[in-house]
């Protein structure tokens, strides 16, 4: 898997579109880097850019953007609601796939050296910190731009890279590597910063200073050394403050969720809601800053569906829409998941078969090209069959007199959704496997060495082209578990749909079996071929028995006998 990292620089400019376009231009000019999102804030006078790519290309784009920002943003003229210390305030690198956090931190060091050599003071933080005291961004940024000149005179705050003298116009930049962080604000029906801070103190991990009696006016509780004792907040890995946003004319709890495994977005939202309610306020919605992984929305959507006692085995689109509405992400402005979810943005220019309309897929298959062919269509039929089983499970979960069985059918629907996604992946993988064979066949064959490499490549591609339909066949057999359950336990009014699901699995499995057989003819490893055919024969025999029994059971239910 190729290494992909994300870069999320925060620039101290949120109002001048021309300056933001100049920064965007140098990022987009870097080959191999994709600018996913630009999120300006007028009140904060700050803009978050998000771009992705191979690590080597990302740090080139980041360096160019930081230099451009230093040329066009003058911190002496800057003001805004958000803490900041430089034209490029902070620039984290985040591992997305195929690379560890430790490896990403090494690229952050490279970027730090590049920026420092360009004359901008650089401090390294989080996983790229050069000392434990500089791990926390808030500690490095304490005093902000206004206190930076004096701070830099202290030897303890000598920059990690670049000059140790104050850069009046550019300030300083903090560069680092971290796991995925979600910047997330919860909206209140209040303008009070003090009350918003009370909620922030309730929920953030650092909590508040402990007091005797009243939480605001009571005497501070101190330890044996005279230091204030802190009372921890409800949520782990959450940083939060309250503020007022003039643009929205309301207060917010502004949070950084630094470890989504410890605290998810919906958990943070619910904690704020409970705290606000206790204090006589109401949460009106929330705001996502920048982008987030799809998993954030799927987790939230499933949570809120369970709260409504509804099945979670619905489509990805329904789950995400539930999350958006339940979190009130469209409270302040339109929220388009296609523009805010990283995976959707990365696939925006893809040409996957499963992104086609049904008519387009049918006509593409009908063309004079050999792919997509029977293997892809077999997988597509399997996906349709699994979707029918899923439909029966969801209809059963919503049956009026079966409220006590919602969880039972929701689990079946969830499993069916797993099968749907697996089949859909195989639709494109089968066509990719065929393309792999054709690419191998086109390899050079002028010399003996080239001929040898070509034959090896053809054999490897052929094996892959056998393995893909074998997976489709295996999946068809596995999916019969949910089909059988829906025939025997699902809503009787929908049993014919479950019957069609069984027949779809038969077609998908046997169609895949045919593709296994035809590709085995070109595979040169006779021993492996025999083993693969034996496995395919066994899977098909099991599938035929299962689908025959399921079809018979379906007719029994339909006839009422």
């Amino acid at each position: 898997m190729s290494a992909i990292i994300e870069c999320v620089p925060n620039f101290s400019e949120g109002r001048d579109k021309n300056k933001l376009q100049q920064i965007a231009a140098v990022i987009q000019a870097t080959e191999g880097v994709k600018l996913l999102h630009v999120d300006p804030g007028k009140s904060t006078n700050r803009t978050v850019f998000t771009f992705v790519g191979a690590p080597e290309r990302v740090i080139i784009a980041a360096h160019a953007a930081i230099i451009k920002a230093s040329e066009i943003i003058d911190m002496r003229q800057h003001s805004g609601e958000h803490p900041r210390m430089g034209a490029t305030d902070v620039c984290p690198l985040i591992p997305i796939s195929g690379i560890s956090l430790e490896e990403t931190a090494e690229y952050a060091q490279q970027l730090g050296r590049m920026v420092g050599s360009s004359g901008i003071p650089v401090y390294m933080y989080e996983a790229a910190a050069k000392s434990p005291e500089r791990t926390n961004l808030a500690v490095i940024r304490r005093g902000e731009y206004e206190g930076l000149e004096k701070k830099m005179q202290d030897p303890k705050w000598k920059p990690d890279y670049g000059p140790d003298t104050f850069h009046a116009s550019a300030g300083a930049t903090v560069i680092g590597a971290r796991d995925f962080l979600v910047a997330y604000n919860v909206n209140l029906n209040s303008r009070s910063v003090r009350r918003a801070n009370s909620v922030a103190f309730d929920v953030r991990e650092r909590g508040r200073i402990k007091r005797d009696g009243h939480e605001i006016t009571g005497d501070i509780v101190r330890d044996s050394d005279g230091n204030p004792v802190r009372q921890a907040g409800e949520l782990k890995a959450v940083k939060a403050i309250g503020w007022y946003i003039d643009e929205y004319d309301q207060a917010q709890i502004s949070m950084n969720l630094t470890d989504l495994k410890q605290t998810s977005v919906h958990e943070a939202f619910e904690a704020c809601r409970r705290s606000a309610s206790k204090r006589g306020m109401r949460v009106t919605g929330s705001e996502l800053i920048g982008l987030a992984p799809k998993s954030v929305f799927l987790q939230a959507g499933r949570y809120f569906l369970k709260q409504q006692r509804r099945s979670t085995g619905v489509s990805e689109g329904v789950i995400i829409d539930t999350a958006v509405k339940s979190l009130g992400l469209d409270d302040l402005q339109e929220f388009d998941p296609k523009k805010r979810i990283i995976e959707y943005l990365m696939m925006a220019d893809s040409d996957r078969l499963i992104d086609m309309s049904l008519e387009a897929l049918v006509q593409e298959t009908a063309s004079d090209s050999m792919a997509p062919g029977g293997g892809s269509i077999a997988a597509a039929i399997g996906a349709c069959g699994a979707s029918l089983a899923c439909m029966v499970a969801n209809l059963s979960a919503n049956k009026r007199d079966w409220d006590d069985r919602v969880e039972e059918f929701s689990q079946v629907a969830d499993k069916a959704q797993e099968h749907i996604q697996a089949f859909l992946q195989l639709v494109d993988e089968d066509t990719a496997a065929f393309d792999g064979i054709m690419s191998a066949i086109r390899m050079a064959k002028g010399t003996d060495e080239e001929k040898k490499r070509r034959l090896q490549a053809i054999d490897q591609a052929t094996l892959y082209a056998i393995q893909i339909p074998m997976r489709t066949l295996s999946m068809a057999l596995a999916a019969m578990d949910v089909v059988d359950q829906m025939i025997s336990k699902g809503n009787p009014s929908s049993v014919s749909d479950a019957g069609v699901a069984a027949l779809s699995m038969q077609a998908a499995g046997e169609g895949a079996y045919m593709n296994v057989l035809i590709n085995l003819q070109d595979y040169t490893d006779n021993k492996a071929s025999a083993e693969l055919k034996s496995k395919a024969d066994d899977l098909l025999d099991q599938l035929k028995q299962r689908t025959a029994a399921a079809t018979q059971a379906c007719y029994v239910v339909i006839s009422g006998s």
Side-chain angles (χ1 to χ4, degrees):
M1 180 184 295
S2 299
I4 299 293
I5 65 171
E6 179 185 64
C7 184
V8 190
N10 289 222
F11 299 103
S12 296
E13 177 57 66
R15 300 163 186 164
D16 190 325
K17 291 183 179 180
N18 179 56
K19 290 181 180 179
L20 298 179
Q21 287 170 354
Q22 290 184 60
I23 295 171
V26 298
I27 295 171
Q28 292 171 318
T30 307
E31 186 179 353
V33 168
K34 184 169 185 178
L35 179 61
L36 297 180
H37 190 64
V38 179
D39 191 6
K42 291 182 180 178
S43 294
T44 57
N45 199 12
R46 182 183 185 87
T47 297
V48 179
F49 281 66
T50 304
F51 53 94
V52 296
E56 298 83 359
R57 307 307 301 171
V58 165
I59 62 173
I60 290 173
H63 178 241
I66 291 169
I67 298 308
K68 176 56 68 175
S70 72
E71 295 169 352
I72 62 178
I73 297 172
D74 189 341
M75 290 303 295
R76 292 168 293 192
Q77 311 299 322
H78 184 272
S79 63
E81 299 288 343
H82 200 288
R84 77 284 181 269
M85 64 187 289
T88 304
D89 181 50
V90 61
C91 182
L93 303 182
I94 302 153
I96 297 297
S97 63
I99 187 170
S100 68
L101 179 60
E102 293 74 21
E103 291 168 330
T104 305
E106 293 177 9
Y107 282 102
Q109 297 293 348
Q110 289 185 40
L111 176 59
R113 286 191 289 270
M114 292 162 66
V115 174
S117 66
S118 299
I120 299 171
V122 175
Y123 294 92
M124 307 302 294
Y125 85 119
E126 290 278 1
K130 286 182 164 290
S131 63
E133 309 84 54
R134 298 189 181 185
T135 300
N136 191 317
L137 174 61
V139 172
I140 298 174
R141 198 160 53 191
R142 190 172 295 153
E144 300 189 41
Y145 169 78
E146 287 74 14
L148 182 61
E149 183 174 14
K150 182 179 179 181
K151 188 173 185 175
M152 291 181 68
Q153 294 170 9
D154 185 342
K156 291 191 303 184
W157 286 104
K158 176 182 170 64
D160 293 307
Y161 297 109
D164 54 8
T165 54
F166 179 59
H167 194 308
S169 61
T173 294
V174 185
I175 294 173
R178 59 166 172 78
D179 283 320
F180 201 92
L181 174 151
V182 171
Y184 180 62
N185 302 333
V186 171
N187 313 326
L188 297 173
N189 65 334
S190 172
R191 298 180 180 85
S192 171
V193 174
R194 179 171 66 84
R195 293 187 181 280
N197 265 319
S198 294
V199 175
F201 297 163
D202 281 347
V203 302
R204 70 184 186 183
E205 182 173 17
R206 192 163 179 260
R208 54 165 51 83
I209 292 175
K210 192 173 183 179
R211 295 175 182 269
D212 278 330
H214 196 278
E215 65 181 25
I216 297 175
T217 60
D219 292 336
I220 294 174
V221 177
R222 299 182 182 275
D223 61 21
S224 58
D225 296 325
N227 299 314
V229 174
R230 299 201 71 87
Q231 180 178 336
E234 179 180 349
L235 304 174
K236 296 291 186 183
V238 172
K239 302 171 184 178
I241 59 171
W243 62 20
Y244 170 78
I245 298 297
D246 185 66
E247 182 181 349
Y248 304 141
D249 190 28
Q250 67 185 126
Q252 292 181 318
I253 300 98
S254 176
M255 294 179 284
N256 280 342
L257 311 184
T258 60
D259 186 346
L260 293 174
K261 294 187 289 294
Q262 293 197 63
T263 297
S264 64
V265 166
H266 65 270
E267 287 170 336
F269 177 86
E270 290 287 70
C272 290
R273 183 183 58 78
R274 289 190 297 269
S275 174
S277 179
K278 181 177 69 176
R279 299 173 183 281
M281 296 179 289
R282 190 171 72 84
V283 165
T284 62
S286 63
E287 180 184 29
L288 176 71
I289 306 302
L291 308 178
K294 185 167 60 176
S295 59
V296 165
F297 300 89
L298 295 178
Q299 290 171 8
R302 291 186 180 114
Y303 167 80
F304 288 111
L305 285 170
K306 286 180 179 178
Q307 293 295 103
Q308 300 167 27
R309 291 188 57 76
R310 290 177 58 196
S311 171
T312 56
V314 291
S315 72
E316 184 175 283
V318 169
I319 294 173
I320 290 174
D321 184 63
T322 300
V324 171
K325 287 183 168 59
S326 301
L327 295 169
L329 289 168
D330 51 4
D331 178 38
L332 300 175
Q333 53 191 308
E334 180 185 0
F335 186 91
D336 184 352
K338 292 181 180 179
K339 297 178 180 178
R340 306 301 293 277
I341 294 177
I342 292 172
E343 290 87 343
Y344 288 172
L345 285 164
M346 292 182 73
M347 294 190 308
D349 301 324
S350 74
D351 54 357
R352 299 186 308 169
L353 295 171
I354 61 173
D355 292 329
M356 293 181 172
S357 68
L358 176 59
E359 181 181 3
L361 175 60
V362 168
Q363 294 299 344
E364 179 71 15
T365 306
S367 70
D368 58 2
S369 170
M370 294 180 68
S376 291
I377 298 305
I381 292 170
C384 290
S387 70
L388 282 169
C390 190
M391 180 191 77
V392 177
N394 284 321
L395 288 171
S396 301
N398 291 326
K399 196 171 184 293
R400 182 175 299 178
D401 52 345
W402 283 2
D403 279 351
D404 59 334
R405 302 181 67 186
V406 170
E407 183 61 26
E408 171 192 348
F409 289 116
S410 181
Q411 290 179 4
V412 176
D414 283 339
K415 191 65 181 177
Q417 282 288 349
E418 291 178 15
H419 293 316
I420 291 170
Q421 295 304 317
F423 276 124
L424 289 175
Q425 182 179 347
L426 290 165
V427 170
D428 279 288
E429 280 204 56
D430 193 272
T431 295
F434 174 79
D435 291 341
I437 292 175
M438 298 309 296
S439 295
I441 290 173
R442 297 188 193 102
M443 288 176 65
K445 51 183 178 179
T447 66
D448 289 343
E449 184 60 30
E450 286 176 342
K451 290 176 182 178
K452 181 180 177 180
R453 284 199 299 268
R454 176 176 174 272
L455 290 175
Q456 289 175 341
I458 291 173
D459 225 30
Q460 290 173 354
T462 301
L463 177 59
Y464 182 58
I466 294 166
Q467 291 169 335
I468 296 304
M470 187 77 83
R471 282 166 53 191
T472 302
L473 174 54
S474 298
M475 185 58 60
L477 179 59
M480 282 304 300
D481 288 346
V482 294
V483 174
D484 286 341
Q485 288 181 69
M486 290 305 92
I487 290 174
S488 61
K489 298 180 180 179
N491 189 337
S493 299
S494 302
V495 71
S496 61
D497 299 300
V500 175
L503 294 172
S504 298
M505 295 309 160
Q506 169 72 33
E510 191 152 5
Y513 175 80
M514 291 179 179
N515 277 265
V516 169
L517 294 186
I518 200 164
N519 288 322
L520 278 172
Q521 295 177 359
D522 297 321
Y523 191 44
T524 61
D525 187 330
N526 294 330
K527 181 181 177 181
S529 293
E531 291 172 352
L532 288 165
K533 183 177 185 303
S534 176
K535 179 182 177 181
D537 289 343
D538 181 57
L539 289 171
L540 183 62
D541 287 343
Q542 292 183 62
L543 179 62
K544 285 182 174 180
Q545 292 174 29
R546 293 283 297 276
T547 54
T551 304
Q552 182 60 37
C554 182
Y555 282 124
V556 169
V557 175
I558 291 173
S559 65
S561 58

